[in-house]
Amino acid sequence: MKRQILYTVLANLLFIYPAMTQTNYNPVEKYRILTLEPGHFHAALVMKESNPQIDTTCYLYAPDNAATQQYLDFIKNFNTRKQNPTSWNTVWYKVKDYLEQIWNQPKGSILVLAGNNRTKTAWISEAVNRGYAVLADKPMAIDPEGFAKLELAITTAKNKGQLVYDIMTERYEILNILQRLLMQQKDLFGELEKGSPDNPSIVKESLHHYYKLVAGVPLKRTEWQYDPKQAGSGLVDVTTHLVDQVQWTCFPEQVLNYNSDVQPIRARLWPTAISLPQYSASTGAARFPDFLDTYRKGDSILIPSNGEMVYALKGVHVRIKVEWNYESTIGAGDTHYSLIRGTGCELVIRQAPTDRFGASLYVEPVKGKTLNEEKLIAAIKEIQRVYPDIRFKKDGNGWKILVPDHYRAGHEAHFVKVTEQFLRYLKAGRMPDWEWSFLLSKYFITTQSLVIAKP
């Protein structure tokens, strides 16, 4: 058992994956970054650190607007910071025909997409047809029609040997990694419970905020980010991360078939009220745009940004819930909750005021049972082979996993890890079949949940 677990841990770190699908991306001297209409700050975060495989001259195709300027400001801050500055040289195409110019680039071009989700799926398809690699922010599809287009693009990409990859940063959060590794310790965790629609064995919840600081400065959101027709509703946006976490944590490296492995059960949407002063502080706009008239009620807009879905994956019942507030209480920020129930114990990530609003991972006994501490000691020893400073302490009826700060890289650093993994796939000229299946399964789940939620 120990040898098996250690191999799994090392495989996670070294990215040794079986069943790889060949791509046409043999290594080139330098990859070229192309960024198209960066309407979201995530477009800049994938370039927070330099990489020797990427040309320092990067290419921006975008109109001259506030979102583009925010992207350029991020790049400038990366270049001028005191510690480990980057050296990006941005060539900006802002003429009217930039959408025509971007599709005529040389081999080794990487298209980065993090903007308006209404056009994203079409641009992914165009990039695949042009032979580019695609690194795209979530979501890649925001409705069933978009999913159908994405499925065709992914099928084409696999057949042509192109690479399409979305930015799943939560795979690099240390608590998520530890929860995944503890699940694989069968003497401790046992088997994953199946649960039921009303008592799912996997629960993931997150709380987010429209107004917050990013890289130390207030985030200015583009106006389309408040429009479900352009950004996506509460069932198809941030939920993508949580659906991916279920697959990545509970069914690691398993090829999924959404037609046979996924069973949508129920879903719902509800609104967040945003006043005009709040909207103005978030976007810089003096009034609500006409495209939000559908959501206006008095002096506020009611955006269906909150969503909850219940579904079964390979017979295991899952509940996912995402909520949006305008602004967090001081010091709190975004929050995350994750419960995975096994026959031997429950693994819970939660945030509490006693943790100064920081998340912690807990190992707790199954209701009505006791947990053998010796099994936890053995499990932690295995994990310490890779993360030697991990410890635990008694906490109520269970144990709290103690994670030193040097393992907590922070959300923005996770984008660098995603970029590095993407480049590994490019250099290897291949991508695992399970990655392709994860793409299709998660966007099928989110878009079908939207169908169920609509009256």
Side-chain angles (χ1 to χ4, degrees):
M1 176 62 72
K2 290 183 178 180
R3 187 171 297 174
Q4 177 185 355
I5 295 301
L6 179 59
Y7 176 81
T8 303
V9 172
L10 292 175
N12 291 335
L13 295 177
L14 300 176
F15 299 94
I16 304 169
Y17 294 127
M20 307 287 262
T21 296
Q22 190 72 25
T23 77
N24 287 332
Y25 289 105
N26 295 321
V28 296
E29 185 176 351
K30 293 282 186 179
Y31 294 110
R32 168 185 286 203
I33 291 283
L34 316 172
T35 303
L36 177 58
E37 293 190 8
H40 198 288
F41 66 96
H42 288 177
L45 289 182
V46 299
M47 300 171 65
K48 188 174 183 179
E49 302 290 344
S50 300
N51 190 294
Q53 299 177 74
I54 299 178
D55 196 319
T56 54
T57 299
C58 55
Y59 300 83
L60 173 63
Y61 297 81
D64 189 355
N65 58 25
T68 300
Q69 190 56 55
Q70 180 174 248
Y71 169 86
L72 292 170
D73 289 343
F74 272 111
I75 300 299
K76 181 180 179 180
N77 289 338
F78 299 156
N79 282 344
T80 57
R81 66 189 177 211
K82 292 183 179 180
Q83 293 186 343
N84 194 26
T86 56
S87 55
W88 302 114
N89 172 35
T90 304
V91 177
W92 181 12
Y93 292 89
K94 55 182 175 180
V95 292
K96 291 183 179 180
D97 64 343
Y98 66 82
L99 269 177
E100 299 175 11
Q101 295 187 38
I102 195 172
W103 303 124
N104 297 290
Q105 302 301 317
K107 179 182 178 181
S109 295
I110 299 170
L111 180 65
V112 174
L113 294 174
N116 195 310
N117 298 318
R118 183 169 56 187
T119 56
K120 188 180 292 178
T121 312
W123 287 346
I124 291 172
S125 299
E126 185 68 25
V128 167
N129 292 331
R130 297 281 183 167
Y132 300 171
V134 178
L135 180 60
D137 193 28
K138 57 77 194 160
M140 286 185 170
I142 60 174
D143 53 36
E145 294 76 20
F147 173 77
K149 295 176 183 177
L150 179 64
E151 183 178 33
L152 178 59
I154 289 175
T155 300
T156 302
K158 291 185 69 175
N159 291 339
K160 292 183 63 175
Q162 311 300 348
L163 183 59
V164 177
Y165 199 59
D166 58 355
I167 303 172
M168 293 291 100
T169 50
E170 296 308 302
R171 296 183 185 183
Y172 301 92
E173 161 58 44
I174 185 61
L175 296 184
N176 295 334
I177 293 171
L178 294 175
Q179 189 180 45
R180 184 184 196 231
L181 294 177
L182 285 170
M183 266 198 71
Q184 296 166 9
Q185 300 276 357
K186 297 302 182 184
D187 287 346
L188 173 71
F189 181 76
E191 298 298 327
L192 179 61
E193 293 277 12
K194 297 292 186 181
S196 67
D198 295 327
N199 185 29
S201 58
I202 303 171
V203 177
K204 288 187 174 289
E205 300 177 354
S206 64
L207 173 64
H208 301 265
H209 303 88
Y210 284 105
Y211 188 83
K212 61 183 179 181
L213 298 180
V214 176
V217 297
L219 173 66
K220 283 293 183 183
R221 294 192 180 273
T222 54
E223 294 190 81
W224 63 261
Q225 287 179 275
Y226 284 90
D227 183 7
K229 295 179 182 178
Q230 300 181 68
S233 72
L235 284 169
V236 298
D237 186 10
V238 176
T239 50
T240 308
H241 279 302
L242 303 186
V243 173
D244 183 78
Q245 277 294 298
V246 171
Q247 299 174 165
W248 182 80
T249 303
C250 302
F251 303 93
E253 286 88 62
Q254 295 185 37
V255 175
L256 302 175
N257 183 329
Y258 73 81
N259 284 311
S260 57
D261 293 333
V262 176
Q263 179 190 358
I265 298 174
R266 60 174 180 260
R268 65 187 181 103
L269 280 166
W270 66 99
T272 296
I274 304 293
S275 68
L276 181 57
Q278 289 174 330
Y279 184 82
S280 297
S282 173
T283 65
R287 58 179 293 274
F288 292 127
D290 293 341
F291 60 73
L292 291 179
D293 282 349
T294 303
Y295 308 101
R296 289 194 59 174
K297 186 174 182 180
D299 295 330
S300 298
I301 50 175
L302 302 180
I303 305 302
S305 53
N306 310 290
E308 183 178 44
M309 64 180 74
V310 176
Y311 64 96
L313 181 60
K314 286 186 172 291
V316 177
H317 290 85
V318 182
R319 180 170 65 83
I320 285 176
K321 181 180 178 182
V322 170
E323 294 184 276
W324 281 81
N325 289 339
Y326 174 70
E327 186 176 9
S328 70
T329 57
I330 296 176
D334 296 348
T335 62
H336 174 61
Y337 172 82
S338 175
L339 164 68
I340 303 176
R341 293 195 291 117
T343 55
C345 71
E346 296 182 355
L347 303 174
V348 188
I349 297 173
R350 66 165 65 94
Q351 295 178 236
T354 55
D355 291 328
R356 297 182 181 180
F357 298 102
S360 294
L361 173 61
Y362 299 86
V363 179
E364 299 179 347
V366 175
K367 186 176 181 180
K369 298 182 180 180
T370 58
L371 188 59
N372 187 336
E373 186 173 357
E374 294 301 318
K375 292 182 179 180
L376 179 59
I377 292 173
I380 294 298
K381 283 184 177 179
E382 285 299 311
I383 290 174
Q384 287 172 339
R385 293 172 182 260
V386 180
Y387 299 101
D389 298 327
I390 295 297
R391 301 288 188 271
F392 68 91
K393 71 174 184 179
K394 188 68 176 172
D395 186 271
N397 294 326
W399 291 267
K400 178 180 179 179
I401 304 300
L402 304 178
V403 182
D405 288 344
H406 60 264
Y407 289 142
R408 298 176 184 260
H411 181 60
E412 293 175 24
H414 298 159
F415 287 85
V416 179
K417 296 296 185 182
V418 171
T419 304
E420 291 172 350
Q421 176 58 75
F422 176 75
L423 291 173
R424 273 191 285 267
Y425 287 154
L426 280 181
K427 185 176 181 180
R430 57 185 62 192
M431 181 158 132
D433 286 342
W434 63 264
E435 285 275 29
W436 292 111
S437 76
F438 277 24
L439 276 173
L440 286 175
S441 293
K442 66 188 165 193
Y443 290 112
F444 175 78
I445 290 168
T446 56
T447 56
Q448 283 300 301
S449 294
L450 180 64
V451 172
I452 294 173
K454 285 185 175 180

